[in-house]
Amino acid sequence: MKLIHLTDTHLVGPGETLYGLDPRARLDACVADINRHHGDADLVVITGDLTHFGDRAAFENLRDALAPLAPPLQLLVGNHDLKESLLAAFPETALDSLGFVQSSLSLPQGRFLFLDTTQPGTHAGHYCADRLDWLKKILAAAEGEDLFLFMHHPPFETRLAPLDRISLQDRAAFAEVIRPHRGAIRHLFFGHVHRPISGSWLGIPFTTLRGTNHQVSLDFAAKGGIPGSHEPPAYAVVFIDAETVVVHFHDYLDESRRFDMHDVSYNFWDEQTRRLTVPA
């Protein structure tokens, strides 16, 4: 299976900019790159903060931007999004029985769980008792299946203090539900932090990545506001089979030079001097 993970598109209205950048232009370039190189992907998942202000115009702009995308699409909601605007633009969005934007998808590779970690009125992540009950039932029903978990807010500290203050608040309760099933969860994907991070939580491998517009700078000393940056946008190409989950991060606007390392017209390895030399 080939899966594309992108996150934090932060779309605004048509023609508007955000932090000195054009989110629509950057997303258009992302979609074009995915279609060009990964049109055969089985699924594209965007893990929340689809828009910046949650307004209807931004969601309509998002729908227009994503319309050319070749592979199937799964959207998650983030703390910058408003569910009502999302559903108006994407009425096909799956909801659970209580109206949360979360669902379960069974594929040959296993069960893919898409969670709603948002709460109106705050940018912090929340996963209430009703959602925990839904998750318990889904996990119980998936006994014996491989699981892949997608959410917007990380359920642990990343050591980036301004982001950790608004990560998932109900960590202990969430972990309690996850812990009995951690052996079946092959990977956790999330957004929110606008940084390439990988590691493990409860023994579960995880990855996240930079957004398609602005980023959070790598500043472990920041205590107040969230430090932003114009680091390159990225998407991830994920290969899943019975033995491995391999995640490649792709800076799709990177225009640095490409070359064949065996092209002697560019340089070659001199066995005597043990140096790379450039032909005259």
Side-chain angles (χ1 to χ4, degrees), residues 1-7 38 45 47 112 148-150 186-190 195-200 204-210 234-241 243-251:
M1 177 184 187
K2 181 194 286 189
L3 179 145
I4 304 298
H5 177 204
L6 57 148
T7 193
H38 307 291
V45 181
T47 48
F112 290 68
F148 298 87
L149 197 60
F150 298 80
R186 296 189 60 195
H187 207 86
L188 164 64
F189 301 88
F190 61 90
R195 290 224 54 80
I197 305 174
S198 64
S200 64
I204 302 167
F206 69 76
T207 51
T208 186
L209 67 159
R210 294 193 297 269
Y235 66 81
V237 184
V238 185
F239 294 96
I240 299 171
D241 62 28
E243 301 293 333
T244 58
V245 177
V246 179
V247 182
H248 296 267
F249 299 108
H250 177 46
D251 298 347

Side-chain angles (χ1 to χ4, degrees), residues 2-240:
K2 181 194 286 189
L3 179 145
I4 304 298
H5 177 204
L6 57 148
T7 193
D8 294 272
T9 49
H10 283 266
L11 261 279
V12 288
E16 297 178 0
T17 60
L18 181 66
Y19 302 123
L21 301 169
D22 185 341
R24 172 63 191 268
R26 290 189 155 213
L27 182 56
D28 285 344
C30 182
V31 168
D33 198 80
I34 291 170
N35 285 346
R36 185 179 308 115
H37 300 291
H38 307 291
D40 62 337
D42 298 283
L43 185 65
V44 174
V45 181
I46 308 180
T47 48
D49 279 359
L50 308 170
T51 66
H52 193 68
F53 298 112
D55 55 293
R56 185 74 64 87
F59 270 106
E60 292 294 343
N61 197 23
L62 178 69
R63 186 172 187 92
D64 185 61
L66 295 175
L69 188 66
L73 175 66
Q74 177 75 41
L75 301 178
L76 273 70
V77 68
N79 50 281
H80 279 266
D81 302 315
L82 294 178
K83 183 176 71 174
E84 294 76 13
S85 298
L86 167 65
L87 295 178
F90 296 89
E92 68 277 16
T93 301
L95 306 177
D96 70 9
S97 60
L98 295 175
F100 293 107
V101 186
Q102 51 183 23
S103 59
S104 168
L105 176 64
S106 290
L107 294 173
Q109 295 74 24
R111 185 82 65 100
F112 290 68
L113 307 182
F114 309 106
L115 307 188
D116 180 344
T117 59
T118 65
Q119 180 165 300
T122 177
H123 285 296
H126 288 272
Y127 208 70
C128 63
D130 287 335
R131 281 174 278 188
L132 285 171
D133 185 59
W134 176 88
L135 183 57
K136 287 178 187 177
K137 293 175 181 176
I138 292 292
L139 292 172
E143 187 70 31
E145 295 184 70
D146 286 344
L147 302 172
F148 298 87
L149 197 60
F150 298 80
M151 57 200 300
H152 182 66
H153 297 84
F156 50 82
E157 291 188 349
T158 63
R159 303 302 191 264
L160 298 169
L163 273 300
D164 288 341
R165 286 196 296 270
I166 56 171
S167 66
L168 195 70
Q169 304 296 292
D170 323 273
R171 295 171 194 159
F174 186 79
E176 183 179 350
V177 171
I178 292 294
R179 189 173 281 108
H181 304 275
R182 58 185 177 176
I185 300 175
R186 296 189 60 195
H187 207 86
L188 164 64
F189 301 88
F190 61 90
H192 192 55
V193 298
H194 294 245
R195 290 224 54 80
I197 305 174
S198 64
S200 64
W201 167 71
L202 301 180
I204 302 167
F206 69 76
T207 51
T208 186
L209 67 159
R210 294 193 297 269
T212 60
N213 193 61
H214 56 283
Q215 316 307 336
V216 172
S217 61
L218 187 63
D219 185 348
F220 295 111
K223 303 297 182 185
I226 299 174
S229 81
H230 282 187
E231 294 169 67
Y235 66 81
V237 184
V238 185
F239 294 96
I240 299 171

